[in-house]
Amino acid sequence: MSIEIKEVKTKKELRKFVKFNIELYKDNPYHVPNLIDEEMMTLSKDKNPAFENCEAIYFLAYKNEKIAGRIAGILVHESNRIWKQKYARFGFVDFIDDDEVVNALFDAVIKWAKKNGMNALHGPLGFTDLDHEGMLIEGFDQPGTMATIYNYPYYPKQMERMGFEKDQDWYEHKIYIPDAIPEKHQRIGEIVKQKYGLKVIKFKKRKEIWPYAYKIFDTLNAAFTPLYAFSPLTPKQIDYYVKMYIPMLQLNMITIIVRESDDVVAGFGISLPSMSHAMQKAKGSLLPFGFTYLLKALYSKPKIIDLYLIGVLPEYKNKGVNALLFNDLIPEYVRMGVKYAESNPELVTNYAVQAQWDYFKTEHHKTRRAFIKQF
């Protein structure tokens, strides 16, 4: 049976593209669906400021007149300039376990990439480092998180069948919350605070965050710049993310470390109650009850939290600033009765991040991969 590939051109087709993921995983207990409207915004060229610096194309695969797969091709020009590459990305990829469907989807993106002068395809990656990235290769029996991709075990097998190879891996850990701050952490935190003139900032009212919101993203840009495929967020992108995420954060789960001399954000830690179960119940929609499920999860006392974003300025790397963050957050987690935290993806080659869990009981329970194919 022949496979038909159609380029997504209309809003109606884009909604089908987004909803295919939810339909493919509707009976899977580990998959966490994205909110349809939020993903529509991410993929819409007139709404996502990433398109100042990016190009994208979306394809749907049809088999027997039924959608059988989807894929996005993405060019991030700034990333290619920084890393001196001519790479196209693939992302937002889902498919049934069918060789013809998979071949047709990737052939369409590779043809498009070649037409644009690229010499390799890698992914899954998004427009920015804050989009979902990395295909799950281990941990298929573990619930996903709001910040990650879940995929069936046949996905990486299909990638290898097509000749894609490992480009980069991420680990995910469960970090079990101790009953108290580890003694060494406490000692390091106090030394670091005094030595570098740092202080911990907490917020009691949401309006207090705004003077630091853009500073946090400046620190994120500086901290993430050396990391795989990263390109700094532009002012418009920062504005987009600030307005999207700041209103939903729980104040007690935000810790900011600033330099007292100039109020620069030296480090930050942002965590959220696990939204996985609520997102599963919402099934991609805020209506009629999705909004209620999400609000309840957001303001509950969670057993699981997601470590959503952690960043430290390069000049403070490996100098104990992370100890300050966790010295503040651990008592809060204990008060709420949190059992463990999900680290979310951490690059295997980011040794400083991996080392921060040395003083905790951890469990490496998921691995994900970016694949690459040269042409």
Side-chain angles (χ1 to χ4, degrees), residues 30 123-125 131-140 142-152 155-156 166-173 228 342-348 364-371:
Y30 307 114
L125 294 164
D131 291 328
H132 295 173
E133 55 190 16
M135 184 177 288
L136 196 65
I137 62 169
E138 294 176 344
F140 301 105
Q142 298 292 317
T145 69
M146 185 174 68
T148 60
I149 297 167
Y150 181 85
N151 54 263
Y152 288 119
Y155 279 42
K166 170 187 171 181
D167 195 23
Q168 186 61 262
D169 280 358
W170 292 262
Y171 286 162
E172 293 178 49
H173 296 88
Y228 173 75
E342 286 270 5
S343 71
N344 283 310
E346 300 170 331
L347 285 165
V348 172
H364 169 212
H365 64 313
K366 299 175 197 170
T367 305
R368 54 188 67 251
R369 176 165 295 171
F371 290 89

Side-chain angles (χ1 to χ4, degrees), residues 39 57 89 200 207 218 262 271 316 323 343 375:
E39 190 153 304
I57 193 166
R89 301 179 175 193
V200 177
K207 65 180 183 180
D218 288 339
D262 55 11
S271 48
Y316 296 106
S343 71
F375 42 77

